[in-house]
Amino acid sequence: MSSAVESYRTPAGGMSGQPDGTWSVSALAHAIGETIQRAFPAEVWVRGEIIGYSVAASGHIYFNLIEPGTDGDRRGDRMRVALFKGRQRFVNRDLAAAGGLTLDDGIEVRIRAEVEYYAGSGQVQLIMSGVDPHFTLGVLAADRERTLAELAASGLLRRNAAVPLALVPLRVGLITAAGSAAHADFVHELESSGYAFEVLLCDARVQGVTAEADLVAALRTLGQADVDVIALVRGGGDRTDLLAFDLASVATAIATCPLPVFCGIGHEIDTSVADQVAHTAAKTPTACASALVGNVAAFDERLAQARREIDRAARSRTSAATARLATARGALGLLAERRLARPRAQLGEARLRLDHHAQRHCRAAAGRLTSASRALQRSHTHAQRGLASLRAQRQRLKRASTRHLSAAKAHLRSASALVSAVAPERTLARGFSITRAADGGIVREMPAAGDTISTETQHAVFPSVVHRSRTTGSQPDRPADDPTTGRTTDG
């Protein structure tokens, strides 16, 4: 380069009249341009990280290349790059063939370009003509594997997957670009489910320079919000459009989030680092929403199943109780028949005795009347006296018959009242109860501790267990031991 500069120190026709050694701007620019052209006669390969990516109104693309990892330090080395519109189709063809890469800020690339000096801006720049997409893919893959290894070593890789998901995750915190197709697809899937989902949207850039900061801030904000789950979604795009989801900062924010994070990033071939650390990963925003709907639907089905089981159990127990009640009603009817058989027999015997007494008295009265008639016939002369005596005797007989008949009727009424008084229904109606053993028989002896007995009143039958017992008039017994616990109970 020194020889080239030296050659321009000799005054030429265009520099006549100027002091020796003084350059004009155009001459110096021309000299620099020729020097650079001689130093770099052919295209060169340059690698670096894209920063300041922009598309001019003319369609040309401009950006700077910096050393990776310098984060755009103004004092760091950088090289201006121009990709003219006419050459873009060749570059885009190579990027698409490698799996859909795109140029954007933050991507590390290896480009082929001419080195030229642009006198219009006084800068050296690279005129880009090609790109090595495999270099970019290799860098991305290496960064991704390094990030995954660091997350695994720090115990963060499956940390969010261990966060318990709410039984009914209806309150959803959504991180995506507001108004995007991903936003619309996700919300539509929730709304069409018929469940009462509530969505709290946190608008965030999902690609580009600010995507990293936006996503980390959104995760921290929704992590403290009153929601059940966080959904991080975006639509499809090139591999480089999804770089933010491979960043360690975004993955760490997902892993350390106190709420379960569902990812629905629109790519079908690869899985991002965000997918690896999330609680649940889906291929698309719609599939992510469908996964949430599935969780709610599964709980709804478990609830319906429990309802059906409770209904079956209730019906079974009701049927069993109805059968036991019918059995008890039949047993009670038989017992009542047995209890009433003796009083009925006694009533029949009383009626027979009453009839016998009445017939005997009637026969006796008839005999006395016949004797009186014969006496009247034999003693016609004493007719008047006999008639008077007969009348008197008839009166005495009538009174005696009336008294005997009244006494017999009173005796019959007494017997009937006695039968009614001893009937079980009357006994229960007066407030008494009937105690029965487990086999249905009436308890007549002292039951033992632990026996099951039932007490029947006028309107109810209730079971009980004997804890202790004693004979009438004796001192209270020691409390019986509970047969189930072995402890002494006091009733």
Side-chain angles (χ1 to χ4, degrees):
M1 183 174 178
S2 59
S3 61
V5 174
E6 188 66 30
S7 67
Y8 276 95
R9 288 179 180 173
T10 303
M15 297 178 58
S16 60
Q18 297 296 328
D20 185 42
T22 301
W23 294 78
S24 68
V25 172
S26 58
L28 181 59
H30 183 71
I32 293 173
E34 286 190 350
T35 301
I36 291 177
Q37 187 175 7
R38 283 195 298 270
F40 302 98
E43 292 183 325
V44 296
W45 286 95
V46 183
R47 68 182 184 185
E49 181 181 334
I50 296 177
I51 187 173
Y53 181 90
S54 65
V55 181
S58 62
H60 303 323
I61 296 174
Y62 298 97
F63 56 87
N64 290 317
L65 280 183
I66 63 172
E67 288 296 329
T70 59
D71 295 328
D73 185 357
R74 291 182 179 275
R75 295 172 297 179
D77 296 330
R78 65 180 58 206
M79 184 65 68
R80 181 73 171 170
V81 180
L83 175 57
F84 296 133
K85 186 175 181 180
R87 297 185 178 185
Q88 290 176 19
R89 62 189 182 93
F90 302 107
V91 173
N92 291 337
R93 179 195 61 195
D94 292 340
L95 293 174
L101 293 175
T102 57
L103 301 178
D104 204 350
D105 286 336
I107 298 176
E108 192 171 343
V109 294
R110 179 173 178 262
I111 66 171
R112 186 178 66 245
E114 302 171 17
V115 182
E116 75 166 23
Y117 176 73
Y118 180 50
S121 63
Q123 291 181 328
V124 176
Q125 66 180 5
L126 300 176
I127 308 303
M128 180 177 173
S129 61
V131 66
D132 179 8
H134 300 291
F135 171 82
T136 300
L137 289 175
V139 171
L140 294 178
D143 289 344
R144 181 176 181 276
E145 292 304 319
R146 182 173 59 255
T147 299
L148 287 173
E150 291 173 353
L151 290 169
S154 59
L156 296 178
L157 194 58
R158 303 308 301 157
R159 178 171 173 176
N160 192 258
V163 177
L165 180 66
L167 285 177
V168 191
L170 292 174
R171 298 173 300 173
V172 182
L174 176 61
I175 301 175
T176 192
S180 63
H183 179 198
D185 292 344
F186 183 87
V187 173
H188 174 73
E189 184 70 14
L190 295 185
E191 289 177 346
S192 61
S193 70
Y195 294 114
F197 282 99
E198 299 176 8
V199 178
L200 176 61
L201 173 65
C202 191
D203 185 20
R205 290 288 302 275
V206 292
Q207 70 182 67
V209 179
T210 63
E212 178 180 7
D214 280 10
L215 292 175
V216 171
L219 285 163
R220 289 174 179 171
T221 298
L222 289 182
Q224 304 302 319
D226 187 20
V227 295
D228 301 319
V229 64
I230 296 175
L232 175 59
V233 302
R234 69 148 289 153
D238 298 327
R239 289 187 181 183
T240 49
D241 292 339
L242 306 175
L243 286 180
F245 298 94
D246 282 336
L247 297 176
S249 58
V250 175
T252 300
I254 293 174
T256 58
C257 184
L259 295 173
V261 178
F262 278 49
C263 276
I265 302 172
H267 57 97
E268 297 290 340
I269 301 175
D270 298 325
T271 58
S272 66
V273 175
D275 291 325
Q276 300 275 2
V277 298
H279 183 284
T280 301
K283 291 296 184 182
T284 63
T286 300
C288 182
S290 180
L292 290 172
V293 172
N295 277 279
V296 177
F299 176 82
D300 193 19
E301 176 57 29
R302 291 196 299 271
L303 195 62
Q305 180 63 26
R307 190 184 302 114
R308 289 191 292 269
E309 290 177 358
I310 291 173
D311 182 64
R312 283 196 298 269
R315 290 177 183 275
S316 175
R317 294 196 176 191
T318 301
S319 298
T322 302
R324 290 195 298 270
L325 183 61
T327 301
R329 186 184 298 114
L332 183 60
L334 292 175
L335 181 62
E337 287 294 329
R338 289 197 298 268
R339 297 292 295 173
L340 291 174
R342 184 175 179 182
R344 284 174 180 166
Q346 292 174 344
L347 181 59
E349 293 175 356
R351 285 174 179 168
L352 290 176
R353 287 195 299 270
L354 180 60
D355 290 341
H356 176 71
H357 286 304
Q359 291 175 4
R360 187 175 61 186
H361 284 292
C362 287
R363 284 195 298 269
R368 286 193 294 272
L369 183 59
T370 301
S371 298
S373 297
R374 289 175 181 173
L376 182 60
Q377 291 175 359
R378 285 193 305 265
S379 184
H380 181 70
T381 57
H382 300 92
Q384 292 298 327
R385 188 174 53 195
L387 182 60
S389 177
L390 180 60
R391 287 175 180 169
Q393 190 174 3
R394 184 180 295 168
Q395 289 298 326
R396 288 194 300 272
L397 179 61
K398 182 186 279 190
R399 286 194 296 271
S401 297
T402 300
R403 284 196 304 273
H404 283 291
L405 186 58
S406 296
K409 288 180 179 180
H411 183 70
L412 179 60
R413 285 193 298 271
S414 236
S416 296
L418 177 60
V419 170
S420 298
V422 297
E425 307 92 82
R426 296 291 300 274
T427 302
L428 297 177
R430 289 199 302 271
F432 290 94
S433 63
I434 299 174
T435 303
R436 304 183 185 282
D439 60 359
I442 295 178
V443 176
R444 303 181 185 278
E445 302 295 337
M446 182 173 64
D451 285 357
T452 299
I453 60 174
S454 61
T455 303
E456 177 185 354
T457 65
Q458 185 181 11
H459 301 292
V461 177
F462 49 90
S464 56
V465 177
V466 176
H467 289 282
R468 62 184 181 182
S469 61
R470 60 186 177 86
T471 57
T472 304
S474 65
Q475 293 298 321
D477 292 337
R478 179 180 64 84
D481 290 339
D482 190 326
T484 61
T485 63
R487 301 177 182 173
T488 299
T489 61
D490 56 5

